[in-house]
Amino acid sequence: MEWETVIGLEVHAQLATKTKIFSGASTQFGAEPNTQACAIDLGLPGVLPVLNKEVVEMAVKFGLGANAEIAPKSVFARKNYFYPDLPKGYQISQYELPIVGKGYLDVLLDNNETKRINITRAHLEEDAGKSLHEDFHGLSGIDLNRAGTPLLEIVSEPDMRSAKEAIAYLKTLHALVRYLEICDGNMQEGSFRCDANVSVRPKGSDKYGTRTELKNINSFRFIERAINYEVERQIQVLESGGSIKQETRLYDPDKNETRTMRSKEEANDYRYFPDPDLLPLIMDTNWIKQIKEKLPELPQQKRDRFISQYQLSAYDANILVSSKELAAYYENVVKASGEQAKLSANWVISELLGVLNKSNLDILESPITSQQLGKLISRIADDTISGKIAKTIFEALWNKEGEVDEIIEKRGLKQVSDTGAIEKMIDEIIAANPQQVADYRAGKEKLFGYFVGQAMKVSGGKLNPQQLNELLKKKLQG
Ligand code: ADP
Ligand code: MG
């Protein structure tokens, strides 16, 4: 039997405010445990929460960026449950009336097709504290610093059909919240966390299968692996006559497997009710308009602009707009290269991103500036150096050995374009390889590459390939 995968994602984006959603306590990451939770975050008797306006503004920005409806009225509700890291006994969240309604993101897939992934809703809520299980010798520690930190929970429709599609959607969402500057996107620190809901069904069926939920996985790679593992597990269970239980499962990256964490709670277990301490949130349409006017160019618009302005493929453009900083870097390279847009895209994507990733560096930490890379590309374009030599210079730039023209000069890397000099070199190669010349002339045309290789070796790669090809052909014809 053929199976189809169905995935819906819930993403918790921590909103990048300085203070908490209902109190003035700091949200700074990494403080000493329990130094940043105030009486409101702890829900001590008699305190009153006050909604942080910036949190609302960020949710609105998200709604606008995700082509979504902003609810004219939304309501905060108490979600009641007991957990040691939730001293109040309830979490303030939104339930029936979330601030952001239906929206969508258009996601570019590997096959270069765009797929629309629908967003069900996005609602505001406060985060809970953290239980710490390490270093306490059989006990657990509780750190409440995170209690009351603002979260936007973004829920997608079950529209994704493979782990790859899920990752493409997540990356699109990740880029969006960072462009909007509403979330720093740091997955290690838990600022952007994902729960993946996964089910399978017989191909062609129009009914969804029972889903399991994979909790809080903190990297794109692990999410992809966890989903793939879970899909295989479910198929095996079903094919051996079993059934899937709706439950929450934990992914273990060390063993690359998912394990039961708890059976799924139902919404009615939480006894949601409107928080009596908080008024309904009524949106001012003028304010929404003002926020909309100040939105920056968003990833999708930038991608479309890169495709038309620089004639890039959708694939390349998508990579380059994955962060604002990378996009800005690329545009500076293009300028410094004398508008060599395509060549610049190749160098940024294949060369620069390659080494940055290997060294675990961000584009802002690149040892090679956009000015330098642009200059290097301009020297390829004006035939001062070949693409091959450019790679040597690229390495030198990476090692901070100086500026492009300096390195070319110092190392004598300028391309030889003097026809006479090249012809002389070819004559010598022909004289030194009589057998190959005879074979070539007898029809073994593949040997042409051999002569090119010889010439490049003798010249140290400093020949213009096109010029070399022409002269070599002429000479070999005899
Ligand atoms: P809960 O709080 O119970 O997790 P939500 O409504 O917040 O419920 O989220 C449900 C998520 O599960 C959504 O992202 C939705 O797309 C996804 N989902 C629902 N049914 C399925 C299914 N059969 N297979 C995969 N994902 C599903
Ligand atoms: Mg869920």
Side-chain angles (χ1 to χ4, degrees), residues 168-431:
Y169 163 78
L170 269 182
K171 288 191 170 167
T172 305
L173 185 60
H174 189 254
L176 177 63
V177 298
R178 294 192 58 225
Y179 270 67
L180 291 168
E181 294 179 1
I182 62 173
C183 171
D184 68 19
N186 189 326
M187 297 178 86
Q188 248 75 55
E189 292 177 4
S191 311
F192 188 89
R193 324 196 272 269
C194 171
D195 302 341
N197 295 273
V198 179
S199 66
V200 297
R201 63 179 174 187
K203 207 158 196 142
S205 157
D206 56 4
K207 265 198 359 235
Y208 290 133
T210 304
R211 69 180 153 121
T212 59
E213 181 172 355
L214 312 176
K215 270 283 175 208
N216 280 341
I217 318 169
N218 70 356
S219 80
F220 292 124
R221 191 180 318 137
F222 287 160
I223 294 165
E224 185 170 348
R225 283 193 203 158
I227 292 173
N228 283 330
Y229 173 87
E230 183 58 17
V231 167
E232 285 311 310
R233 187 191 71 84
Q234 291 188 9
I235 291 174
Q236 264 180 29
V237 169
L238 293 170
E239 289 194 339
S240 56
S243 62
I244 302 299
K245 281 195 302 280
Q246 187 169 339
E247 62 183 3
T248 301
R249 295 177 71 86
L250 211 61
Y251 176 68
D252 179 345
D254 296 328
K255 297 199 177 126
N256 187 30
E257 62 177 30
T258 64
R259 288 194 297 271
T260 299
M261 188 162 110
R262 55 168 190 257
S263 70
K264 180 79 194 164
E265 44 313 78
E266 295 292 331
N268 58 16
D269 292 334
Y270 291 118
R271 303 272 184 256
Y272 280 99
F273 64 87
D275 192 307
D277 289 341
L278 288 158
L279 291 168
L281 179 60
I282 309 293
M283 293 304 304
D284 173 352
T285 43
N286 266 328
W287 189 43
I288 298 178
K289 229 191 264 156
Q290 284 167 22
I291 296 172
K292 189 170 188 173
E293 279 160 11
K294 283 187 300 193
L295 286 185
E297 183 183 33
L298 296 177
Q300 212 174 306
Q301 299 164 312
K302 212 187 266 288
R303 184 172 77 204
D304 292 345
R305 177 167 68 79
F306 277 19
I307 293 170
S308 63
Q309 183 176 344
Y310 300 125
Q311 267 93 55
L312 300 183
S313 68
Y315 182 84
D316 284 356
N318 201 45
I319 295 175
L320 293 171
V321 304
S322 63
S323 81
K324 243 192 236 185
E325 295 78 18
L326 179 60
Y329 184 100
Y330 166 71
E331 295 207 89
N332 286 331
V333 173
V334 174
K335 263 191 224 120
S337 73
E339 302 301 317
Q340 297 291 326
K342 184 72 190 129
L343 203 50
S344 296
N346 291 346
W347 275 84
V348 171
I349 293 171
S350 320
E351 302 302 324
L352 186 66
L353 289 184
V355 279
L356 286 176
N357 284 343
K358 237 190 253 154
S359 325
N360 228 335
L361 292 176
D362 189 82
I363 186 70
L364 293 177
E365 302 164 312
S366 170
I368 302 180
T369 65
S370 53
Q371 284 302 314
Q372 290 175 322
L373 187 53
K375 185 77 179 180
L376 179 62
I377 291 163
S378 76
R379 288 296 176 240
I380 305 172
D382 70 12
D383 279 335
T384 308
I385 52 171
S386 66
K388 195 153 170 239
I389 289 292
K391 291 196 182 172
T392 312
I393 301 170
F394 181 87
E395 268 180 47
L397 288 172
W398 181 270
N399 296 325
K400 301 256 174 221
E401 286 175 30
E403 296 303 322
V404 174
D405 286 343
E406 240 179 285
I407 298 167
I408 295 176
E409 199 59 41
K410 212 164 52 191
R411 296 210 193 170
L413 295 173
K414 223 180 224 148
Q415 203 155 251
V416 181
S417 48
D418 170 359
T419 310
I422 301 176
E423 282 179 334
K424 194 165 155 255
M425 192 183 304
I426 294 174
D427 286 340
E428 283 165 16
I429 292 169
I430 287 179

